[in-house]
Amino acid sequence: MAGTWAVLAIAAIAVLLITLQVVASNSGFQGPLHSLLSDYVATPKSTTVPWVGLGMAMVGLSNRSRVLALAVAVALDVLFAAGRVLLGGFLTFGNGPLIVLTGLTLALAWRRWVRDEHTIAARGVAFGVLLVIATKVGDAWLRITALYRPAVLDEYALLADHALAQPSWLLGRLVQAGGPALAGVLHWVYIELPVAALVVAVYQLRNVRTNGWPRHFLVPTFLVLGLIGPVIYILFPLVGPAFAFGSAGDGFQVGDFWPHALPPIDWSPRPVAFDASTPRNCMPSMHTAWALAVFLHSRGGPRWLRVGGTFWLICTLSATLGFGYHYGVDLLAGATLCMTVESALREPVVGRVWSRLGLVAFGSSFLVVLLVCCRYLAATMAHHPLLFGPLMIGTMVVFSTAFYATFMARSTAPLAVRDSVAAA
């Protein structure tokens, strides 16, 4: 039965990749299959993601296999990077881990289907491959959002954010005042979120070879968030304050206001035509959702891991607003989506009042109501900020409190140990 589901999953992924590649080829941009092939022999699009994928794949390997895989990946990466520089290209990395990850996948597939052997390493390799594929699908999907949603709803989000005191403008000025050092730290944290996720995931999965795979850990949350969140991009297309109301709009912006001045309030918001290349990837803020997931999963670890998770969450939230990438309502939507997905995946503490189903229903309803209000009641929200602001924040506080009481108010033993079960 497990083999049948595996075949179906592989077939579904193949169909998705081929479909997106066809759309990309017809629309004039690089598709996921083209991007994957380029990462093998040309300049990788990301250095971090292939290494994160390989790191995930190695959690179930023996120490000897880990050392061998790491050595081969480093050697190949250095070889490809040196060749690239000698040919006049950029010094970047990423080929080696992707090639080794592919080799591990083929080796484990051969053992599974030819020799009928199932190893505990197979799941780790599968998750590593899925992380790489998910980024390629996500990149293609971002281009699709720009092509198929030519008009954006940023004027509605701006009005809705009036009820939250326009946090993007506030943080934007603070980041500017902090100078290049603060901006550099926030930018690095923002783009290297996969590194933080890998650290937390590796800690959670450090004992899989002896204790089996835990019932729940960070990586499934990341993948489910990446599956659900981008769908909302199409339903509520936004480009962000720095683009819609700042100089990054490249001539399509409403005006050059962010972050030095608030735009004049337009009580009759309308969709605004924008370019065909800027992703409509603001609502919800997936960086917020993923950073919150890292924070939540770091709670079961030692002090250094908890401090790191907190640092990454604070810096990510500051960057999303401080660089003008998101509105406040985007962050609320991202946090709500994260806790809703976590509620569906986690096991509630015995005896808690809230059930998993109740929290999923609560979070889903709040997310839908928030989206509907931002789209159809934005002017009303701006007219009555003292009502809608506390209402949105208060609902989030209630949801967060219920989530904590249901899933986290218990023993401080590490999550990966508490929930560990025998490998499937």
Side-chain angles (χ1 to χ4, degrees), residues 22-48:
V22 171
V23 173
S25 299
N26 292 335
S27 302
F29 65 90
Q30 188 183 54
L33 292 178
H34 185 186
S35 182
L36 273 172
L37 291 176
S38 296
D39 283 0
Y40 281 105
V41 296
T43 302
K45 193 167 186 177
S46 170
T47 298
T48 305

Side-chain angles (χ1 to χ4, degrees), residues 76-404:
L76 288 174
D77 233 7
V78 171
L79 182 63
F80 272 93
R84 202 160 25 243
V85 171
L86 290 176
L87 293 174
F90 294 103
L91 177 61
T92 186
F93 302 93
N95 305 94
L98 184 61
I99 293 173
V100 173
L101 178 60
T102 304
L104 289 173
T105 304
L106 294 176
L108 290 174
W110 180 81
R111 292 180 63 178
R112 176 67 179 88
W113 297 109
V114 176
R115 297 171 56 181
D116 197 25
E117 293 182 13
H118 181 76
T119 67
I120 199 168
R123 187 180 296 185
V125 173
F127 278 123
V129 171
L130 283 174
L131 286 173
V132 173
I133 292 177
T135 61
K136 299 303 181 183
V137 171
D139 290 341
W141 185 256
L142 292 182
R143 293 299 303 271
I144 289 174
T145 64
L147 290 173
Y148 291 93
R149 292 310 304 262
V152 298
L153 305 178
D154 285 74
E155 288 193 357
Y156 297 87
L158 176 72
L159 276 179
D161 246 28
H162 190 63
L164 298 173
Q166 300 295 353
S168 185
W169 268 258
L170 174 61
L171 266 294
R173 294 176 184 177
L174 289 177
V175 170
Q176 278 196 341
L182 176 62
V185 171
L186 294 181
H187 180 70
W188 183 80
V189 169
Y190 186 83
I191 64 175
E192 297 297 345
L193 180 61
V195 174
L198 177 63
V199 171
V200 174
V202 167
Y203 176 81
Q204 290 182 310
L205 303 174
R206 67 196 183 282
N207 295 322
V208 293
R209 288 189 57 81
T210 55
N211 297 337
W213 285 85
R215 193 201 62 81
H216 178 51
F217 55 101
L218 178 61
V219 177
T221 299
F222 257 58
L223 293 173
V224 174
L225 285 173
L227 182 66
I228 298 175
V231 175
I232 305 177
Y233 293 165
I234 294 292
L235 302 176
F236 205 104
L238 299 175
V239 291
F243 296 90
F245 301 101
S247 57
D250 197 25
F252 289 89
Q253 66 267 33
V254 176
D256 190 2
F257 299 104
W258 188 90
H260 52 275
L262 284 172
I265 295 180
D266 184 352
W267 298 108
S268 300
R270 67 191 187 284
V272 178
F274 217 77
D275 64 30
S277 59
T278 304
R280 279 56 163 160
N281 62 337
C282 289
M283 176 64 83
S285 168
M286 293 308 297
H287 264 79
T288 296
W290 284 320
L292 180 57
V294 169
F295 171 82
L296 293 174
H297 283 267
S298 70
R299 296 306 89 190
R303 182 179 179 85
W304 65 266
L305 193 67
R306 298 196 304 270
V307 171
T310 302
F311 171 79
W312 227 272
L313 177 62
I314 292 174
C315 288
T316 300
L317 296 181
S318 300
T320 57
L321 294 172
F323 293 142
Y325 297 153
H326 290 281
Y327 302 92
V329 289
D330 302 336
L331 271 64
L332 288 179
T336 301
L337 177 62
C338 174
M339 288 191 290
T340 303
V341 169
E342 277 289 323
S343 297
L345 297 177
R346 285 179 179 244
E347 189 69 32
V349 178
V350 176
R352 297 301 177 186
V353 175
W354 283 86
S355 67
R356 176 194 296 169
L357 181 60
L359 282 174
V360 171
F362 187 105
S364 301
S365 300
F366 178 41
L367 182 58
V368 170
V369 170
L370 180 64
L371 292 173
V372 171
C373 287
C374 289
R375 177 61 177 85
Y376 298 104
L377 296 176
T380 304
M381 295 170 74
H383 269 300
H384 305 285
L386 296 181
L387 171 61
F388 283 93
L391 187 59
M392 286 188 286
I393 298 298
T395 305
M396 177 58 68
V397 170
V398 171
F399 187 32
S400 302
T401 302
F403 179 89
Y404 175 83

